[in-house]
Amino acid sequence: MILLKKSAILLSAATILVSATACSGDSKNAVVEPKSEGELSTKINEPTELTVFSLESPDGWNQKYGEYLKKKLPQYKITHISQTESSRLEHLLSAGTNIDLYIANARSVSQQYLPSKAAFDMSELVKTHRIDLNVFEPEGINQMTSAEGAGGLYGLPLSNYTMVMYYNKDIFDKVGVPYPKDGMTWEETYELAKKLTVNTGEKQYLGFWISPKHYLRTNQMSLALVDPKTEKASVTSDEWNRLFDTIFKKFSDITAFRERAITAWPSHDAFNVTQELAMYVMQSSWLMAAQESLGKMNFDMVAMPTFKDKPNVGVQASYTYMGITSMSQKKDQAMEVIRQLTSEDYQMEMSKLGVMTSLKSQAVQKAYAAETPYKDKKLNMNAAFYNKFAPTAPITAYDEFVVEDGLEKTQLRDMVKGLTDLNTGLRMAEEIANQKIQSSK
């Protein structure tokens, strides 16, 4: 994530962008929309050139989007620009580079595209092109349009991911403990973790761990990391205390786990490399990202555990969106690109390859990972869709100061290792984050 400061380069980029769009009128409506279906059809079918900016590598762009678009829109020449250290959004805008489309999450839209005035509210364009927003999972639209999100229809959701609990079947079999199941509570998971934290003489096994950063950003209780009104860290409430006690503190009180955390902080490798971790909560997209190592394991997955008083409520959604920029002079053609990538045809192709769909379609959801190296393993793919999404928490430009600096790098580790108590650790995390926030302004 990139935190945009109030710097000269950003102000310069915004100035250039406003100037570029102002010559065509209102910067949010720089292109006059066609008045008839015939005009619209003619416009989207004529040859055109478009530029897309995203975090995707060149190969990633081609595999996920480029090859499909070449088949569906052969009349379009689409140039993709990958973000690098020297080609960030603010650099491109300052250089006057034209961008028609971008791929980003709601957090990036709020923190980068809106401050630089590159974002474009697509509400009227969606109506003109008769895009049915009801085909999407409701939270996919809400996360972008709500006040907690970006506050406008600055993109349509292309894909999503959630968090699931992966488990090593061999460890369960060795210890003689029944496998976990969908719909478990955190209390039930804790009882399993205690039974699975055993030393067999050959290896010390650990029952449970979770990826802290991924969970904190999308926590199940929809708690804000930073108060959007005061712009100060906000993790010392009773609710945050309960969350940390349930998700981190209780599991770290298991002696063998704490001893391991002190000597070597647990990470992904404990599950899929050294295979000492029985249960691990991580992103559903990890299934494909780590397929080389996971493919060699005897594992499965279930829905992430939930709080007793919030049954079947998982983490907040993590949608990836495609949006149109305010500078684009080809908004109708750009909208056609988005139409293709949100179509059931494209979504079905991607779902089969292990990309979680943004659509409600049961057929597309059931096809999840059907054509991957896991297809013969009979994995519980329903785990990714079992829980409903928690409501989106307020997003601010300073959230990562809390997640990274205040918690993951320092206070969370101290709490898990028993070096500080929960209340002190959360208070210190706020202080560290607030110092970072203040210095960034």
Side-chain angles (χ1 to χ4, degrees):
M1 183 211 73
I2 303 167
L3 179 64
L4 289 183
K5 297 182 179 182
K6 297 174 182 177
S7 60
I9 191 169
L10 178 56
L11 291 173
S12 174
T15 301
I16 290 173
L17 182 58
V18 171
S19 297
T21 55
C23 61
S24 299
D26 185 349
S27 64
K28 297 187 79 176
N29 296 284
V31 177
V32 177
E33 305 298 343
K35 295 181 180 179
S36 70
E37 286 190 30
E39 287 177 301
L40 182 60
S41 178
T42 298
K43 199 165 192 178
I44 64 177
N45 284 300
E46 64 187 19
T48 194
E49 295 184 12
L50 297 168
T51 299
V52 184
F53 176 68
S54 82
L55 294 176
E56 293 286 352
S57 67
D59 287 344
W61 162 261
N62 284 327
Q63 291 169 9
K64 291 182 182 178
Y65 312 108
E67 294 303 322
Y68 183 87
L69 291 172
K70 284 178 183 177
K71 290 188 297 182
K72 294 295 181 177
L73 299 171
Q75 74 276 26
Y76 287 12
K77 179 183 177 182
I78 302 176
T79 299
H80 174 253
I81 300 175
S82 299
Q83 176 178 294
T84 64
E85 284 300 317
S86 59
S87 64
R88 296 188 181 279
L89 177 64
E90 60 267 34
H91 300 149
L92 297 176
L93 296 181
S94 293
T97 304
N98 182 74
I99 303 169
D100 297 288
L101 292 149
Y102 59 84
I103 298 175
N105 58 29
R107 190 178 297 277
S108 292
V109 171
S110 178
Q111 295 170 355
Q112 294 176 257
Y113 289 88
L114 283 172
S116 64
K117 302 188 183 301
F120 174 79
D121 192 312
M122 297 159 49
S123 299
E124 291 304 314
L125 201 57
V126 162
K127 292 177 185 177
T128 301
H129 285 252
R130 297 185 178 181
I131 302 293
D132 183 6
L133 298 184
N134 292 315
V135 304
F136 299 100
E137 288 284 0
E139 193 59 23
I141 302 301
N142 180 66
Q143 191 168 89
M144 180 60 77
T145 60
S146 68
E148 292 76 20
L153 193 61
Y154 299 109
L156 292 183
L158 302 183
S159 60
N160 188 20
Y161 65 80
T162 186
M163 294 189 82
V164 297
M165 187 162 74
Y166 298 87
Y167 66 95
N168 187 322
K169 297 171 77 172
D170 286 342
I171 298 177
F172 277 80
D173 293 341
K174 187 183 290 287
V175 180
V177 174
Y179 298 149
K181 57 184 184 295
D182 292 330
M184 288 175 55
T185 64
W186 284 112
E187 288 77 13
E188 291 171 324
T189 305
Y190 173 67
E191 293 304 318
L192 267 185
K194 288 193 295 184
K195 295 175 182 177
L196 291 157
T197 305
V198 296
N199 193 319
T200 63
E202 298 177 357
K203 183 182 287 190
Q204 171 66 60
Y205 290 106
L206 306 173
F208 171 88
W209 190 231
I210 187 171
S211 177
K213 290 188 288 187
H214 294 104
Y215 182 79
L216 291 171
R217 293 179 185 123
T218 59
N219 70 85
Q220 287 166 291
M221 296 178 71
S222 303
L223 301 177
L225 292 155
V226 174
D227 185 323
K229 294 181 180 178
T230 64
E231 295 187 338
K232 291 185 177 181
S234 178
V235 292
T236 55
S237 66
D238 290 343
E239 292 85 357
W240 269 114
N241 194 295
R242 178 193 176 199
L243 183 144
F244 269 87
D245 184 58
T246 302
I247 308 299
F248 301 108
K249 185 69 165 56
K250 184 174 290 186
F251 289 98
S252 69
D253 282 342
I254 300 173
T255 302
F257 182 89
R258 173 161 292 173
E259 290 174 348
R260 163 58 195 273
I262 291 171
T263 57
W265 186 252
S267 66
H268 309 330
D269 287 357
F271 184 83
N272 64 324
V273 178
T274 60
Q275 296 191 32
E276 60 199 291
L277 184 59
M279 298 179 289
Y280 183 50
V281 172
M282 178 53 177
Q283 295 168 306
S284 55
S285 56
W286 194 53
L287 183 68
M288 301 311 301
Q291 62 179 298
E292 183 177 349
S293 56
L294 289 175
K296 299 173 183 176
M297 292 180 61
N298 182 23
F299 81 102
D300 205 342
M301 54 189 182
V302 294
M304 189 183 70
T306 59
F307 287 91
K308 268 185 181 179
D309 56 344
K310 294 180 182 293
N312 302 121
V313 176
V315 290
Q316 300 163 56
S318 297
Y319 286 96
T320 296
Y321 297 84
M322 178 171 269
I324 298 171
T325 67
S326 58
M327 74 177 76
S328 177
Q329 299 299 305
K330 300 172 181 178
K331 290 183 172 63
D332 289 306
Q333 294 94 327
M335 191 73 244
E336 183 60 21
V337 169
I338 296 177
R339 178 197 292 278
Q340 293 295 336
L341 296 181
T342 55
S343 69
E344 187 156 332
D345 177 73
Y346 171 80
Q347 292 287 314
M348 179 65 80
E349 280 195 22
M350 290 297 102
S351 182
K352 288 177 181 178
L353 295 177
V355 178
M356 193 173 176
T357 184
S358 60
L359 303 182
K360 289 179 184 175
S361 170
Q362 291 296 305
V364 175
Q365 291 182 11
K366 287 180 180 178
Y368 183 60
E371 294 180 3
T372 69
Y374 303 112
K375 62 184 178 182
D376 297 324
K377 286 184 175 287
K378 297 182 179 179
L379 298 179
N380 175 27
M381 297 301 181
N382 182 60
F385 302 96
Y386 186 87
N387 289 328
K388 61 184 178 181
F389 291 109
T392 298
I395 295 171
T396 79
Y398 309 109
D399 293 348
E400 286 303 291
F401 288 144
V402 182
V403 173
E404 290 275 1
D405 301 281
L407 291 168
E408 210 282 332
K409 291 178 181 177
T410 55
Q411 298 308 303
L412 174 62
R413 298 190 181 217
D414 284 352
M415 288 185 281
V416 168
K417 294 174 184 178
L419 302 178
T420 189
D421 65 88
L422 202 58
N423 291 328
T424 301
L426 293 176
R427 188 180 70 252
M428 288 293 295
E430 277 195 357
E431 292 178 9
I432 293 169
N434 285 333
Q435 289 173 4
K436 289 283 186 177
I437 291 171
Q438 189 59 39
S439 64
S440 74
K441 293 182 177 180

